[in-house]
Amino acid sequence: ESIGHQLYRFSSLDLVTGQGSGLAEVPWTPNVFGDWTIASDGSAVALPDHEKDAPKILVVPLGSSASSRTIKVRAEGELRGIHAAPNDQSWYGEIRSGGKHKLSLINRDGKVSVLLESDYDTWAYPSPDGSKLAFIAYTLDRNVWMWRRNRP
């Protein structure tokens, strides 16, 4: 939850009793609705920083005394919504630069691999096993694309 534009508070949630104990708090930063992600095991959240030409990802451990970690994304532009890859070693995100929207895979060292470049907003959700990636792409002749990621 956002607390008065001062903090983000992450809490456990019980489906019967509602909000539970606090897991982490971090200083508030401007966001875009729904543009953060949670690790597949629930151990951390990752929040993109929307600062133009200095993209970063803040990784916040949940329910742990471990410190948060800031990852400098090695690309120019503005980082938008991110979604964790199933291996929790990278994120899918959109980097906007020069009027282009680049669907990118960003690893934990900040290295960026551009997967798709578009004139429009784009984002992606991986399948739970990582074998498929659903993404937005505007085109005149198709409304569904399938892309299989080669696994190492």
Side-chain angles (χ1 to χ4, degrees):
E1 76 183 294
S2 176
I3 301 173
H5 291 219
Q6 301 294 316
L7 289 173
Y8 287 121
R9 179 181 295 146
F10 296 93
S11 303
S12 62
L13 179 66
D14 184 286
L15 297 177
V16 176
T17 61
Q19 184 174 336
S21 62
L23 301 173
E25 290 183 348
V26 294
W28 184 89
T29 58
N31 68 7
V32 176
F33 183 73
D35 70 346
W36 58 276
T37 190
I38 189 166
S40 62
D41 64 0
S43 64
V45 293
L47 300 98
D49 184 324
H50 302 295
E51 186 177 332
K52 290 184 178 163
D53 297 322
K56 295 182 280 290
I57 297 173
L58 177 64
V59 180
V60 181
L62 297 175
S64 164
S65 61
S67 298
S68 297
R69 177 177 173 224
T70 300
I71 297 169
K72 184 179 181 339
V73 177
R74 292 186 268 166
E76 291 184 7
E78 181 183 359
L79 179 61
R80 300 298 279 200
I82 58 174
H83 300 284
N87 65 8
D88 291 325
Q89 296 302 306
S90 55
W91 300 273
Y92 295 99
E94 176 190 2
I95 299 173
R96 295 179 181 181
S97 176
K100 295 293 183 183
H101 304 257
K102 298 171 186 163
L103 178 60
S104 302
L105 182 64
I106 306 160
N107 75 13
R108 288 189 157 278
D109 293 323
K111 182 181 177 203
V112 173
S113 299
V114 175
L115 305 175
L116 173 78
E117 190 172 295
S118 174
D119 291 326
Y120 305 99
D121 293 347
T122 187
W123 59 89
Y125 287 94
S127 63
D129 68 359
S131 65
K132 296 180 180 77
L133 184 65
F135 61 93
I136 300 298
Y138 298 92
T139 155
L140 297 175
D141 61 349
R142 294 190 178 111
N143 63 5
V144 176
W145 291 74
M146 183 178 285
W147 176 66
R148 293 189 186 270
R149 181 171 171 221
N150 293 333
R151 300 189 69 114

